[in-house]
Amino acid sequence: MMKYYSIGMKLNDVIKDKDTEQVVLENIKRCSNIVGRFFKVVFWHVNLTEQECKDFVKRNEHLLFEVNTKITKGFKNAWFIIDSKNEKSSCRYRYEGCILEGIVEYLKIIDHMKKRDGK
């Protein structure tokens, strides 16, 4: 069984500001480049319309195509979760706070694991 180092975040928090959205997605691409084929990003949403989700995908299809991506309603299961409001979810690691700071923490853990494994 393949082990993914997935990062999960709430899509509602990503799309609330278009400038932040682009910075988050650039950082996700960076994570994908660092982690490699075992990287996956999981976006879950709460009460977003189908159109809002489609608009997000259309705006960012170039990046979402390059990165192993899952968008789902209510799914909160990933290796590393960035939580904005202490939501219930299943994960190995959790960061409570802003998405960009959470991505930095995710990369610190990945870096530590690579050093530990001698990669």
Side-chain angles (χ1 to χ4, degrees):
M1 188 170 146
M2 193 178 304
K3 183 176 184 178
Y4 282 100
Y5 297 107
S6 57
I7 185 170
M9 60 193 72
K10 194 171 182 180
L11 184 57
N12 304 56
D13 296 339
V14 174
I15 67 172
K16 65 183 172 189
D17 173 14
K18 299 300 181 235
D19 293 332
T20 301
E21 177 180 312
Q22 289 308 304
V23 173
V24 167
L25 292 173
E26 288 167 11
N27 278 279
I28 287 171
K29 184 173 183 177
R30 183 170 169 245
C31 292
S32 178
N33 290 336
I34 291 169
V35 175
R37 66 186 180 124
F38 298 111
F39 179 77
K40 182 178 185 177
V41 62
V42 178
F43 294 106
W44 76 86
H45 68 89
V46 177
N47 298 326
L48 289 180
T49 66
E50 183 177 343
Q51 191 59 50
E52 287 172 310
C53 294
K54 284 182 180 181
D55 290 345
F56 170 75
V57 170
K58 186 172 182 165
R59 280 192 309 273
N60 302 295
E61 62 187 337
H62 60 284
L63 177 113
L64 299 175
F65 180 74
E66 293 176 29
V67 175
N68 187 356
T69 306
K70 181 174 184 174
I71 299 174
T72 186
K73 182 177 182 175
F75 178 80
K76 299 171 199 149
N77 184 12
W79 184 76
F80 185 98
I81 294 271
I82 300 171
D83 251 338
S84 59
K85 295 181 182 171
N86 196 17
E87 298 179 44
K88 299 283 186 206
S89 51
S90 175
C91 60
R92 171 93 180 183
Y93 299 98
R94 173 186 310 275
Y95 177 82
E96 292 183 16
C98 109
I99 291 174
L100 293 174
E101 292 171 5
I103 291 172
V104 169
E105 292 303 312
Y106 171 83
L107 288 172
K108 284 180 184 177
I109 292 171
I110 293 296
D111 184 54
H112 171 76
M113 293 176 66
K114 283 186 167 194
K115 286 178 182 173
R116 179 196 69 193
D117 296 341
K119 293 181 181 179

